[in-house]
Amino acid sequence: MGFPEDASLHGHLLDRLYGHAFWLTLAAFLAVVAILGWCLVRYRARPGRLPTYTHGSGRGALLLSLGLAFAVFVGIDLNLALEDHRVFDALVGTPPDPAKAFRIQVMPQQFVWNVRYPGEDGEFGTDDDLTTLNQIHVPAGRPVLVELRSMDVVHSFFLPHFRIKQDALPGLTTRAYFQATKTGTYEVACAELCGLEHYRMRGFLHVGSEEEVAEWIARTREEYGADQELWRAWTRMKRESD
Ligand SMILES: [Cu+2]
């Protein structure tokens, strides 16, 4: 369907849903075009043939209209609604156990992604936290739980390769989760027009092994140290809204 490579556990569900919507509506479109074409030929002007007029209010016309509406509703709408429900449940409805997931906090602002890791104690807001800019490192094969909170306007955390898109709002914590199945470097984009330099909100998600991620976090913390200013901003926003 022309999507970027799927590097997540649940992405294929969304791709399949999109595929179903595409093929079902394509079939309906082709059926309508075929009927129109048939009518053009069947009722074309011929010498000696007079036009007939109808209000379309007869029993046959009524049954045909209701039958078509029912066929479209059951064949397309109901079908997609049921599958959509299953996909929504897998992608959004059943978050992983926070105790087992890899947790990060993403705090976008005009026009960067601030990313916070809890450190070895697994708690945010402690001395061993690490905050980085535009670089997200997560392990493969384990659910990643992302807590989102904007530091200014509405942004949207978009991971095209993981089929994840979640708004980040000021004053409210939203969550997103995914599980990476392939290692590599992927793009993070902002999917909400958030200002003049919205296009600059480009980050990178690096998927590696558990050891690689732990090593990167330890090394980066040593190099840059924890950014306490961001931590204070996060807790201040939390206090204002809770
Ligand atoms: Cu943005």
Side-chain angles (χ1 to χ4, degrees):
M1 282 288 144
F3 289 141
E5 173 200 7
D6 173 25
S8 73
L9 190 63
H10 294 121
H12 69 280
L13 295 172
L14 198 88
D15 293 357
R16 202 175 59 193
L17 177 69
Y18 189 88
H20 280 187
F22 177 80
W23 292 115
L24 285 171
T25 46
L26 181 71
F29 171 74
L30 290 178
V32 169
V33 170
I35 292 169
L36 276 174
W38 180 78
C39 288
L40 277 175
V41 177
R42 174 79 177 75
Y43 301 107
R44 67 187 183 279
R46 268 185 289 189
R49 182 195 269 181
L50 292 173
T52 54
Y53 297 96
T54 171
H55 289 282
S57 53
R59 214 178 130 82
L62 189 73
L63 282 175
L64 185 67
S65 303
L66 285 176
L68 276 176
F70 187 74
V72 169
F73 178 70
V74 173
I76 299 181
D77 300 68
L78 210 59
N79 215 326
L80 289 180
L82 288 176
E83 191 176 342
D84 177 62
H85 188 76
R86 279 200 300 274
V87 177
F88 183 85
D89 198 51
L91 262 72
V92 185
T94 43
D97 181 359
K100 291 181 186 134
F102 183 84
R103 290 169 64 212
I104 50 170
Q105 287 179 336
V106 174
M107 300 167 277
Q109 68 184 94
Q110 289 170 322
F111 295 91
V112 290
W113 300 99
N114 300 294
V115 187
R116 190 151 72 130
Y117 301 84
E120 265 151 35
D121 61 359
E123 297 272 330
F124 290 105
T126 53
D127 282 344
D128 70 342
D129 285 3
L130 169 71
T131 307
T132 61
L133 211 60
N134 293 337
Q135 303 293 333
I136 309 178
H137 286 247
V138 300
R142 182 171 158 205
V144 178
L145 196 57
V146 186
E147 286 177 27
L148 292 154
R149 182 180 287 240
S150 170
M151 296 176 78
D152 41 42
V153 300
V154 178
H155 301 272
S156 185
F157 182 65
F158 182 27
L159 299 176
H161 299 85
F162 300 82
R163 312 299 191 256
I164 288 296
K165 195 184 277 172
Q166 176 68 57
D167 278 2
L169 311 165
L172 183 79
T173 305
T174 50
R175 284 173 183 79
Y177 60 89
F178 62 91
Q179 184 166 327
T181 52
K182 292 174 190 159
T183 57
T185 297
Y186 305 95
E187 199 176 353
V188 181
C190 180
E192 191 73 62
L193 184 58
C194 55
L196 279 178
E197 289 173 74
H198 158 71
Y199 69 94
R200 283 182 55 191
M201 287 194 70
R202 189 177 187 217
F204 292 95
L205 182 100
H206 309 272
V207 180
S209 66
E210 293 274 355
E211 297 75 41
E212 280 166 354
V213 173
E215 198 266 330
W216 179 84
I217 290 175
R219 181 160 42 84
T220 312
R221 191 188 305 118
E222 221 161 81
E223 275 174 35
Y224 300 103
D227 190 334
Q228 292 303 301
E229 196 48 51
L230 274 169
W231 170 69
R232 276 196 286 275
W234 170 275
T235 43
R236 191 171 62 239
M237 285 188 293
K238 216 168 162 50
R239 219 177 304 124
E240 277 164 11
S241 71
D242 293 343

